[in-house]
Amino acid sequence: MVTREDVEHVALLGRLELTDEEKEIYARQLNELLGHFRALQRLDTDNVQPTAHVLPLNNVYREDWVGQHMPREDALANCPDRDENYFKVPRIV
Amino acid sequence: MSHYETVIGLEVHVELKTRSKIFCDSTTEFGGEPNTHLCPVCLGLPGVLPVVNKRVVEYAIRAALALNCQIAGFTKFDRKNYYYPDMPKNYQISQYDLPIARHGYLDIEVNNEVRRIGITRLHMEEDTGKLVHQGTITSTPYSLVDYNRAGVPLVEIVSEPDLRSPEEARAFMEKLKTIIQYTGVSDCKMEEGSLRCDANISLRPAGSGQLGTKTEIKNLNSFKALYRALSYEVERQTGILSKGGRILQETRTWDEEKGVTLPLRSKEYAHDYRYFPDPDLVPLVIDPEWVEDIRNSLPELPDARRERYMQEYGLPAYDAGILTSTKELADFFESCLSAYPNPKAVSNWVMGELSRLLNASGMDITACKIKPSQLGSLLQLIDEGTISGKIAKTVFEEMFASGKDPGDIIEEKGLVQISDVNTLMTVVAEVLASNPKSVEDFRSGRERALGFLVGQVMKATRGKANPEMVNRLLKEKLLQEKL
Amino acid sequence: MLQLYQRTAHELHNLLLNKEISAEELNLAIFDRIESVEDKIAAYITLTREKALEQARAVDQQIKNGERIPPLAGIPVAVKDNICTDGILTTAASRMLAGFVPPYSATVVKRLEAAGATLPGKTNLDEFAMGSSTENSAFFPTRNPWDTGRVPGGSSGGSAAAVACGEAICALGSDTGGSIRLPASFCGVVGFKPTYGAVSRYGLIAFASSLDQIGPFSRDVTDCALLLNIICGHDPLDSTSARFDVPDFTRFLVNDIRGMRIGVPEEYMAEGINPGVREVVEKAIALLESLGAFVEYTTLPHTEYALSTYYLIAPAEASSNLARYDGVRYGFRARETSDVMDMFMKTRSQGFGAEVKRRIMLGTYALSAGYYDAYYLKALKVRTLIKEDFDRAFEKYDLLVSPVSPTPAFRCGEKTEDPLEMYMSDICTISVNLAGIPGMSIPCGFVEGMPVGLQLMGRHFDEGTLLRAAYTFEQNTDYHRAFPAL
């Protein structure tokens, strides 16, 4: 059962500020969805390996070479707030 | 204080000195203009994907082998999810349950006791960017972000909670730094942040097998900070426990100025990292042959080298320890030996004059202008009687400053030892004539006067006189005239 | 006489080669078409007229110089707006990326450019590709050209609608759980989701990295093969990109499926399927059989678990992939915030739409302490079982066929309230992504005047078999020639 407190905790982890109404809605919908998903528990998967990748790929490497850097103006071009050559953010604490 | 035992574990971050970052081809070079060492990948732009730099894996294995770890046959990268503005993706690509290496150790020596400290694991991850504040993090109205360091490769090395004092913790870090530097995978410069550490510390009643509640100390940017912060924390926790209080499990930061540890706001650090395998990266299956190749390419490590210096060269433990404290110093020492195979003499010069000059100038051996062969030549010139030991020190200082050959310096400055009997006799005669009091003293049995007279001859020759000959000639002359 | 915008790329290529038209004329014709129908369809977020015409003129110059031009040179290929284009607004249909201009192009975009294709614009989608109707676009919904009261399907609804009504000749979309096949089916065009790893994801704004795959939309199977020729292949910038020998896909354009073994998973034809859709699909299957294929019903027993598995894995990955949208480096930032934490919270709450937030919540929950094993890890294990279902089926069959969706395109607004009901429209398509196999939708008939798609599913990297079956079906039917009256 997903409680309102769970919703608040998860929203904090995901950095989402929810209105009271949204908390209600998400609590209800998460319960409904997770209730449906609990069907998975019926399956015995004790001896089943998880599939994180569908292809059996491994050892994909690049060599240790330095390439082109972005011009600084490109790096900063999309940023909402800047201070000269830095990205600017509100106070941390 | 004595009825609590201190338990410390360290989490050490080492930046690897690859050319490019761990998941993209931006440079790892330290100290560029802010936000100039970036590409779409390390800036975390929408749509970008990471690709592992093979040398990072090689370096991680190299460091792990030097720390006596077992290398995993199968390893993978996971995402560690948390929000912080210095992280371009708000997750850090790291390793969770299948790190590249585990189960290592290193030996430290504190108060003449050798202790083996376990290393739980070593894993690879990416570094974050850097926040720049006006003033302190708590007083600044805003912060600025430079992502140049974001994506620089790191290994995190986690020790077992085997350390029992701040001294041991410091010794562990020093030893770790030495070993890593030997492997050549990192500069381990604490001042540039290429070696960093967090500490977990708890106290427990002496003899107890259970661990007490720990605190995690961050922001330990020097060996001194590590030592002081842990000492402070031992005191603080002892104070609380002996009053019957409880230790709060929390993250604290070391405030260098105030000399105290302070709690960090829990809201920022109460994390649920939600680790899961990074779907953008595929697993690594580590070829045992590759591991063996890396093992075979490791240099002789400090413990073994120190042991060999004691056995093979007959050096005292202390000297052997100093000489092997960095690979560069030990390499220098051994190169000198091939030019001048007298370990004790070379050791005296390296640990004496050379160390003194290096310390005074704040340089390390890699920046030293003197070539090992030049130190060898100098020692040979002393043996041959071309210069005295005393003059040699002057020559050495000049070599240190200019990098010139000792022979050239001696010639240029006319420092060749005077061993010509006639020349010396003339000086001796002059000295005796102008110091009748000392001549009198010597003749009335005060042998010490001879030392003064030798000094006067040396002074008159600006130190160039062959001291043994001066001694002999003076004695002869004094005894002669006495008859 | 067909209008230029109604033609296929291979037909237009011949017109270009024979100098009956110029690439500039073709592109102007497309922009004329866009001008006349875009009001009703709303397929595009951004139009790049000048760029397309410039590219077209370059192709015309090549033709004039007597140079050989590749098959898609001068052909307008629209690109879904979650695929990065250097210097061109790329929004993923999110307020979060309103104004975001990438400084780099996705690998597929570079490949298209190298092949001479022109870019008419960036197409609408459900925000961050999360949805099945394109109603979750933060900007506006796209309409189905066959009935503008209905949705085009999603999430690549803009690409599908554009191709269907002649606002582009071909398009690229992305498919995480059916986002190419579903809109292709709803709009009556060909849509192909290649094998996971066959097409580079570099530059595709990630939704669920282990499931996402870029693929083409086209009017017929030949164009589909031509596009696959361009976009498939290894990319060193994508670690999950496979090293495989990319065939010339046009060699599978053979009108012959005699002896092909085709399985029909009974779970995909079960209750809940619209009777009209069932009838159309059964007729299509009967046609395949009559053309010489061996067809029988089979089973993919873990199908009933696919939806749950998918809706745990995809949101979990998404919750992490979407963490980077925080208002620091690019995109939207909320105003008037007290500190960084407050800025993050407000930015993300105001920047993301309801469906994206719902999936972030769901995915964050599934990964969080105490639930990881029960939900996320469990889903990864069931994913193995689903994949093994396909492995077993492909021991017996060369190809599996099914409907793409249990229903034809639904009405606008019909399913936006209940997430579970909306997720149900993916029921036939998500298993393909979980297994990483190639999947395709081809037009196979009409229900209620709306197109219905037949889904073809094959072995990893066996795109060829799908193309061959699709081509054969197409050569023996006329559905692909139908054009919506607007």
Side-chain angles (χ1 to χ4, degrees):
Chain A
M1 178 70 194
V2 182
T3 64
R4 201 186 151 92
E5 286 69 39
D6 292 335
V7 167
E8 284 170 357
H9 174 67
V10 170
L12 179 67
L13 286 178
R15 296 296 186 268
L16 294 171
E17 190 178 74
L18 302 183
T19 62
D20 284 345
E21 193 194 357
E22 282 176 313
K23 285 177 195 168
E24 295 294 326
I25 294 172
Y26 287 134
R28 180 165 50 73
Q29 291 180 340
L30 285 187
N31 273 315
E32 196 181 309
L33 290 169
L34 293 166
H36 186 81
F37 299 167
R38 265 191 280 278
L40 295 184
Q41 304 307 326
R42 292 203 301 264
L43 287 170
D44 177 4
T45 52
D46 287 352
N47 299 313
V48 179
Q49 287 298 312
T51 295
H53 292 92
V54 283
L55 297 183
L57 280 174
N58 53 47
N59 299 350
V60 175
Y61 294 114
R62 44 173 284 273
E63 295 301 321
D64 185 22
W65 289 321
V66 175
Q68 282 249 304
H69 294 124
M70 286 161 81
R72 180 161 54 200
E73 280 315 301
D74 282 7
L76 285 156
N78 281 295
C79 95
D81 195 8
R82 65 186 278 186
D83 186 334
E84 299 201 352
N85 299 326
Y86 292 92
F87 297 85
K88 188 175 170 184
V89 295
R91 56 188 305 151
I92 306 292
V93 288
Chain B
M1 182 119 181
S2 61
H3 60 292
Y4 290 112
E5 182 181 47
T6 303
V7 177
I8 299 169
L10 297 180
E11 288 173 18
V12 185
H13 287 94
V14 179
E15 271 186 4
L16 301 178
K17 59 173 185 190
T18 53
R19 290 191 196 99
S20 61
K21 293 184 179 181
I22 180 167
F23 298 119
C24 68
D25 63 7
S26 295
T27 181
T28 59
E29 199 182 309
F30 184 80
E33 282 289 297
N35 295 307
T36 54
H37 294 174
L38 296 175
C39 74
V41 176
C42 54
L43 187 55
L45 291 184
V48 298
L49 297 170
V51 184
V52 181
N53 180 344
K54 189 170 188 185
R55 182 154 291 142
V56 171
V57 182
E58 179 194 323
Y59 279 8
I61 294 172
R62 201 168 160 81
L65 289 173
L67 297 170
N68 307 294
C69 290
Q70 293 166 16
I71 308 300
F74 180 94
T75 184
K76 67 180 170 76
F77 287 99
D78 302 278
R79 292 187 186 174
K80 180 180 183 178
N81 294 284
Y82 67 100
Y83 285 81
Y84 211 72
D86 63 5
M87 287 213 306
K89 305 182 293 293
N90 284 318
Y91 61 80
Q92 180 188 30
I93 304 178
S94 181
Q95 298 197 280
Y96 183 50
D97 54 340
L98 296 171
I100 181 107
R102 292 186 210 252
H103 306 308
Y105 63 85
L106 64 75
D107 293 334
I108 56 169
E109 194 175 327
V110 173
N111 301 327
N112 294 320
E113 191 198 343
V114 175
R115 293 201 54 226
R116 178 156 290 185
I117 307 301
I119 288 169
T120 316
R121 56 184 282 158
L122 178 150
H123 72 247
M124 301 173 278
E125 61 187 27
E126 56 181 339
D127 206 349
T128 63
K130 199 176 75 182
L131 289 173
V132 183
H133 317 289
Q134 293 189 315
T136 69
I137 192 168
T138 45
S139 71
T140 184
Y142 58 87
S143 293
L144 303 176
V145 201
D146 170 10
Y147 290 107
N148 279 353
R149 303 311 289 162
V152 169
L154 296 175
V155 288
E156 179 176 323
I157 299 159
V158 182
S159 88
E160 290 288 306
D162 288 347
L163 298 159
R164 291 291 170 268
S165 67
E167 289 82 1
E168 289 191 1
R170 184 172 57 191
F172 177 90
M173 276 298 280
E174 283 169 349
K175 187 61 169 289
L176 185 70
K177 175 180 173 172
T178 303
I179 293 173
I180 299 289
Q181 281 180 331
Y182 259 71
T183 64
V185 305
S186 175
D187 295 329
C188 294
K189 289 184 184 161
M190 279 190 122
E191 65 280 11
E192 287 183 6
S194 64
L195 176 67
R196 311 192 284 260
C197 123
D198 300 334
N200 290 304
I201 175 168
S202 62
L203 302 189
R204 64 183 171 193
S208 161
Q210 282 188 319
L211 289 171
T213 305
K214 68 178 180 187
T215 57
E216 186 185 359
I217 322 283
K218 290 189 173 288
N219 195 28
L220 304 171
N221 295 327
S222 65
F223 292 123
K224 198 172 128 203
L226 170 71
Y227 180 78
R228 287 180 65 205
L230 288 174
S231 301
Y232 174 85
E233 197 59 18
V234 169
E235 221 170 285
R236 187 185 73 85
Q237 293 193 13
T238 303
I240 294 171
L241 291 173
S242 49
K243 283 191 207 115
R246 275 181 49 226
I247 306 294
L248 219 58
Q249 176 150 2
E250 62 185 351
T251 304
R252 301 175 71 86
T253 183
W254 170 241
D255 186 324
E256 183 79 40
E257 257 169 58
K258 299 198 184 96
V260 296
T261 65
L262 297 169
L264 283 167
R265 232 169 59 168
S266 59
K267 193 182 171 192
E268 308 299 328
Y269 286 89
H271 291 310
D272 175 347
Y273 291 124
R274 290 160 284 135
Y275 282 101
F276 74 105
D278 192 327
D280 289 332
L281 290 163
V282 298
L284 307 180
V285 177
I286 306 295
D287 181 354
E289 259 181 58
W290 190 27
V291 176
E292 283 320 299
D293 285 350
I294 296 170
R295 195 192 302 278
N296 293 333
S297 75
L298 279 176
E300 185 183 25
L301 292 172
D303 283 350
R305 206 164 192 180
R306 174 166 173 253
E307 193 58 33
R308 181 165 64 82
Y309 282 19
M310 292 162 66
Q311 300 298 328
E312 196 175 309
Y313 303 147
L315 296 176
Y318 177 79
D319 298 24
I322 301 271
L323 289 173
T324 56
S325 63
T326 72
K327 182 170 178 294
E328 289 73 20
L329 188 63
D331 287 348
F332 183 89
F333 171 74
E334 289 185 35
S335 298
C336 292
L337 288 187
S338 41
Y340 186 81
N342 178 341
K344 188 64 206 168
V346 172
S347 161
N348 285 342
W349 274 84
V350 170
M351 294 189 40
E353 286 306 292
L354 182 59
S355 296
R356 186 177 65 79
L357 293 172
L358 286 173
N359 282 340
S361 62
M363 276 161 49
D364 72 52
I365 188 74
T366 52
C368 179
K369 288 184 185 160
I370 301 177
K371 293 194 200 86
S373 59
Q374 292 175 321
L375 177 54
S377 313
L378 181 72
L379 298 184
Q380 214 129 27
L381 289 166
I382 300 171
D383 285 356
E384 289 161 0
T386 310
I387 50 168
S388 67
K390 187 148 187 277
I391 289 291
K393 291 188 183 176
T394 312
V395 174
F396 191 76
E397 281 180 25
E398 179 61 29
M399 290 162 68
F400 188 84
S402 66
K404 286 184 188 161
D405 279 339
D408 294 347
I409 295 169
I410 290 163
E411 199 165 310
E412 267 170 39
K413 305 217 161 180
L415 295 174
V416 176
Q417 182 160 267
I418 304 168
S419 303
D420 175 62
V421 176
N422 290 333
T423 314
L424 286 179
M425 276 308 282
T426 314
V427 182
V428 165
E430 278 167 21
V431 165
L432 290 180
S434 49
N435 290 285
K437 175 85 171 65
S438 299
V439 175
E440 197 56 37
D441 285 352
F442 181 81
R443 285 181 179 153
S444 50
R446 289 184 210 158
E447 295 272 333
R448 274 164 52 200
L450 181 65
F452 174 76
L453 292 167
V454 170
Q456 292 304 302
V457 174
M458 296 308 288
K459 195 175 167 187
T461 58
R462 288 186 293 129
K464 290 190 290 184
N466 180 327
E468 278 164 40
M469 284 182 72
V470 170
N471 234 305
R472 185 166 53 81
L473 290 172
L474 268 173
K475 267 190 197 164
E476 274 173 23
K477 194 76 178 164
L478 285 165
L479 294 174
Q480 252 174 34
E481 305 229 336
K482 196 177 183 181
L483 290 173
Chain C
M1 171 75 182
L2 286 178
Q3 302 289 322
L4 287 181
Y5 62 76
Q6 292 176 303
R7 303 278 198 150
T8 62
H10 58 95
E11 288 166 357
L12 292 164
H13 181 65
N14 286 330
L15 296 178
L16 288 169
L17 287 185
N18 298 335
K19 304 202 167 94
E20 289 173 50
I21 57 164
S22 71
E24 191 174 6
E25 280 165 3
L26 166 59
N27 281 267
L28 285 169
I30 292 297
F31 281 103
D32 286 348
R33 176 65 176 169
I34 290 171
E35 205 156 290
S36 66
V37 299
E38 180 64 0
D39 276 357
K40 287 180 243 171
I41 303 302
Y44 285 98
I45 291 174
T46 304
L47 289 168
T48 49
R49 185 186 169 99
E50 288 317 308
K51 183 179 171 76
L53 293 179
E54 194 184 306
Q55 289 171 319
R57 284 191 286 266
V59 172
D60 286 334
Q61 191 60 48
Q62 281 181 303
I63 296 170
K64 211 173 145 193
N65 295 347
E67 292 169 43
R68 273 178 64 109
I69 56 160
L72 285 173
I75 307 293
V77 180
V79 172
K80 189 178 181 180
D81 206 27
N82 61 349
I83 298 174
C84 286
T85 40
D86 192 352
I88 297 167
L89 187 69
T90 300
T91 66
S94 181
R95 182 166 149 74
M96 192 58 105
L97 283 174
F100 174 66
V101 179
Y104 79 104
S105 279
T107 299
V108 288
V109 170
K110 287 189 172 170
R111 282 171 170 256
L112 280 180
E113 281 173 2
T118 67
L119 178 72
K122 305 292 295 289
T123 56
N124 199 17
L125 63 149
D126 288 298
E127 183 178 3
F128 285 103
M130 295 178 183
S132 308
S133 69
T134 315
E135 291 168 295
N136 292 335
S137 167
F139 307 129
F140 45 79
T142 296
R143 304 294 174 150
N144 192 313
W146 293 91
D147 175 354
T148 53
R150 299 196 192 223
V151 303
S155 65
S156 313
S159 287
V163 172
C165 73
E167 289 189 285
I169 301 303
C170 303
L172 292 187
S174 67
D175 189 318
T176 307
S179 283
I180 289 174
R181 290 158 288 155
L182 186 71
S185 164
F186 282 6
C187 294
V189 297
V190 175
F192 201 113
K193 184 214 85 88
T195 306
Y196 185 83
V199 179
S200 169
R201 293 187 294 118
Y202 188 77
L204 169 65
I205 296 179
F207 160 16
S209 314
S210 77
L211 303 161
D212 294 343
Q213 194 65 189
I214 291 171
F217 289 94
S218 59
R219 301 248 168 76
D220 72 3
V221 179
T222 303
D223 282 5
C224 180
L226 292 172
L227 275 158
L228 288 175
N229 275 350
I230 293 169
I231 63 173
C232 287
H234 179 253
D235 179 9
L237 296 177
D238 177 358
S239 303
T240 63
S241 152
R243 290 177 185 278
F244 69 111
D245 293 324
V246 185
D248 174 359
F249 288 107
T250 58
R251 74 179 164 84
F252 300 104
L253 303 175
V254 177
N255 182 3
D256 182 6
I257 53 165
R258 280 172 300 170
M260 191 180 276
R261 297 166 301 165
I262 297 177
V264 182
E266 58 193 20
E267 292 82 2
Y268 287 66
M269 299 287 274
E271 60 197 286
I273 185 171
N274 172 302
V277 170
R278 178 199 292 269
E279 200 186 311
V280 164
V281 169
E282 279 172 350
K283 238 177 82 187
I285 292 168
L287 175 63
L288 291 171
E289 195 166 18
S290 75
L291 292 169
F294 167 80
V295 180
E296 69 178 8
Y297 273 78
T298 183
T299 176
L300 297 168
H302 294 95
T303 299
E304 62 171 306
Y305 302 103
L307 194 77
S308 301
T309 303
Y310 176 86
Y311 277 99
L312 285 166
I313 292 172
E317 292 182 9
S319 71
S320 175
N321 284 332
L322 269 57
R324 70 188 64 193
Y325 306 104
D326 62 4
V328 178
R329 292 157 299 278
Y330 40 77
F332 171 76
R333 178 191 289 195
R335 290 165 191 271
E336 301 190 6
T337 56
S338 56
D339 56 32
V340 157
M341 177 76 154
D342 188 45
M343 191 274 276
F344 283 177
M345 304 274 290
K346 289 199 164 75
T347 294
R348 292 169 58 76
S349 304
Q350 296 167 24
F352 289 135
E355 181 60 27
V356 173
K357 283 193 258 188
R358 176 159 42 245
R359 296 203 196 186
I360 292 173
M361 293 290 293
L362 183 56
T364 304
Y365 185 87
L367 288 175
S368 65
Y371 302 104
Y372 181 88
D373 285 1
Y375 289 109
Y376 186 70
L377 185 63
K378 185 78 182 184
L380 292 187
K381 289 180 166 189
V382 179
R383 184 175 186 180
T384 305
L385 298 176
I386 290 166
K387 188 171 165 286
E388 286 170 354
D389 279 356
F390 282 101
D391 291 345
R392 264 190 299 276
F394 287 125
E395 283 170 18
K396 273 181 87 177
Y397 308 105
D398 303 312
L399 190 72
L400 299 173
V401 301
S402 76
V404 171
S405 168
T407 66
F410 43 89
R411 304 211 152 267
C412 299
E414 191 179 311
K415 292 194 185 178
T416 46
E417 289 309 307
D418 180 1
L420 194 57
E421 200 191 327
M422 179 63 104
Y423 298 167
M424 285 293 185
S425 25
D426 301 337
I427 194 104
C428 298
T429 49
I430 48 182
S431 294
V432 164
N433 299 79
L434 290 168
I437 58 175
M440 186 177 190
S441 173
I442 53 172
C444 73
F446 290 85
V447 170
E448 306 160 20
M450 298 304 293
V452 171
L454 180 71
Q455 178 169 242
L456 313 180
M457 301 169 272
R459 300 186 185 98
H460 284 147
F461 301 106
D462 192 15
E463 275 70 10
T465 298
L466 273 64
L467 290 171
R468 187 169 143 195
Y471 184 78
T472 303
F473 186 85
E474 192 177 83
Q475 291 299 304
N476 292 279
T477 56
D478 274 329
Y479 306 118
H480 65 287
R481 286 191 229 280
F483 204 85
L486 263 171

